[in-house]
């Protein structure tokens, strides 16, 4: 298995001969409207969309926020045969976007099972404000078990996933303690909560994502590294454009 960090929530996963992309974001830095507000992007991707090569499927945690699916990301979806996401995203985007409800699975490629798992994009009781979000678990014979959190802020959700899936080999945790005026509280995991999530999942390796490149993140690279200081080589804190593999 190999992971290449593109930037923000976007990474290329190559596992069992299948190439997956998480939350496509390829726009340049700038302000991106969302309702009567805007999110500010501070850095562009390390890899342009037309340089990625073929992708078998996109794992789209949600479509309603521009820091998880931007304009160039939406254009990119048209080049991918399968996009797995929420029911809300499937109804809004149509085309090749397929809803993957919690605890249902689909096989991609020769034997990679992708399962939709819960995610909670903010404090309890805020889904009507932030919208539907999903995470993913990847499994297959002879393959590592991989958890992709999506924009999840709840350790209770992580406990539920760990209880049903068991230990994971690699946890891709969206962190950064994102905050906006929309809700009172964090929209994604704090660095300390990301450490707790990794421990709950008994993750052999952790790859933090979505903790930088947008102004609404309150905990960046330095804080993530500090929180995971005791993890040693188990932490794969990638710089944009870097790759890491797992054996």
């Amino acid at each position: 298995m190999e992971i290449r960090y593109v930037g923000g929530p976007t990474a290329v996963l190559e596992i069992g001969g299948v190439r997956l992309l998480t939350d496509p974001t390829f726009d340049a830095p700038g302000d991106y409207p969302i309702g009567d507000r805007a999110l500010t992007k501070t850095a562009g991707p390390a890899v342009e969309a037309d340089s990625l090569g073929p992708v078998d499927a996109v794992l789209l945690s949600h479509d309603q926020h521009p820091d998880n699916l931007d304009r160039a990301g939406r254009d990119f979806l048209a080049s991918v045969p399968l996009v797995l996401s929420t029911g809300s995203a499937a109804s809004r985007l149509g085309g090749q976007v397929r809803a993957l409800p919690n605890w249902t699975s689909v096989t991609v490629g020769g034997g990679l099972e992708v399962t939709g798992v819960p995610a909670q994009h903010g404090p309890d009781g805020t889904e009507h404000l932030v919208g539907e979000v999903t995470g993913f678990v990847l499994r297959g014979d002879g393959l590592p078990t991989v958890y992709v959190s999506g924009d999840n802020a709840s350790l209770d959700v992580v406990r539920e996933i760990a209880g049903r899936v068991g230990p994971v080999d690699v946890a891709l945790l969206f962190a950064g303690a994102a905050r906006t005026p929309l809700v009172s509280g964090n929209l994604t995991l704090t660095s300390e909560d990301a450490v707790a999530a990794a421990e709950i999942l008994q993750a052999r390796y952790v790859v933090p994502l979505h903790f930088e490149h947008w102004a609404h993140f309150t905990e960046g690279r330095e804080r993530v590294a500090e929180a995971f200081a005791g993890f040693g080589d188990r932490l794969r804190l990638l710089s944009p454009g870097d790759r890491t593999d797992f054996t």
Side-chain angles (χ1 to χ4, degrees):
M1 176 183 171
E2 180 182 89
I3 295 175
R4 186 180 191 188
Y5 177 40
V6 174
T10 310
V12 180
L13 283 63
E14 299 191 36
I15 178 171
V18 176
R19 298 188 85 234
L20 306 171
L21 185 73
T22 61
D23 289 4
T25 54
F26 298 106
D27 283 351
D31 292 337
Y32 291 90
I34 175 170
D36 58 357
R37 301 170 290 112
L39 299 180
T40 300
K41 189 174 188 178
T42 58
V47 184
E48 299 297 332
D50 58 7
S51 300
L52 287 181
V55 170
D56 297 299
V58 165
L59 306 180
L60 178 62
S61 67
H62 60 298
D63 70 307
Q64 64 266 30
H65 299 146
D67 60 321
N68 293 86
L69 182 67
D70 58 19
R71 290 176 295 205
R74 289 171 184 266
D75 292 341
F76 181 81
L77 295 184
S79 69
V80 181
L82 177 64
V83 179
L84 299 172
S85 193
T86 66
S88 301
S91 64
R92 283 188 290 257
L93 297 174
Q96 66 276 47
V97 182
R98 174 174 171 176
L100 189 65
N102 292 340
W103 307 117
T104 64
S105 302
V106 63
T107 299
V108 181
L112 179 66
E113 181 185 78
V114 181
T115 302
V117 296
Q120 181 178 308
H121 194 2
D124 292 346
T126 59
E127 184 177 295
H128 67 290
L129 296 172
V130 298
E132 186 182 14
V133 181
T134 192
F136 304 92
V137 168
L138 316 177
R139 291 178 288 195
D141 290 342
L143 299 176
T145 298
V146 181
Y147 168 56
V148 182
S149 72
D151 276 1
N152 173 60
S154 170
L155 289 178
D156 285 340
V157 164
V158 176
R159 292 185 185 96
E160 178 186 359
I161 293 165
R164 295 187 62 155
V165 173
V168 305
D169 295 295
V170 183
L172 280 71
L173 299 177
F174 289 27
R179 295 181 72 96
T180 74
L182 182 66
V183 300
S184 176
N186 293 312
L187 295 166
T188 54
L189 295 171
T190 66
S191 300
E192 289 184 356
D193 282 348
V195 171
E199 292 172 340
I200 291 166
L201 293 160
Q202 301 177 54
R204 290 179 59 201
Y205 299 101
V206 179
V207 181
L209 294 178
H210 211 22
F211 58 88
E212 58 186 355
H213 304 154
W214 291 85
H216 59 290
F217 289 110
T218 64
E219 297 183 4
R221 177 173 294 270
E222 182 176 340
R223 180 69 190 101
V224 171
E226 180 182 78
F228 278 96
F231 272 59
D233 291 342
R234 292 173 60 201
L235 175 67
R236 303 291 177 88
L237 184 57
L238 302 177
S239 296
D242 281 357
R243 304 171 188 261
T244 189
D245 58 19
F246 304 89
T247 56

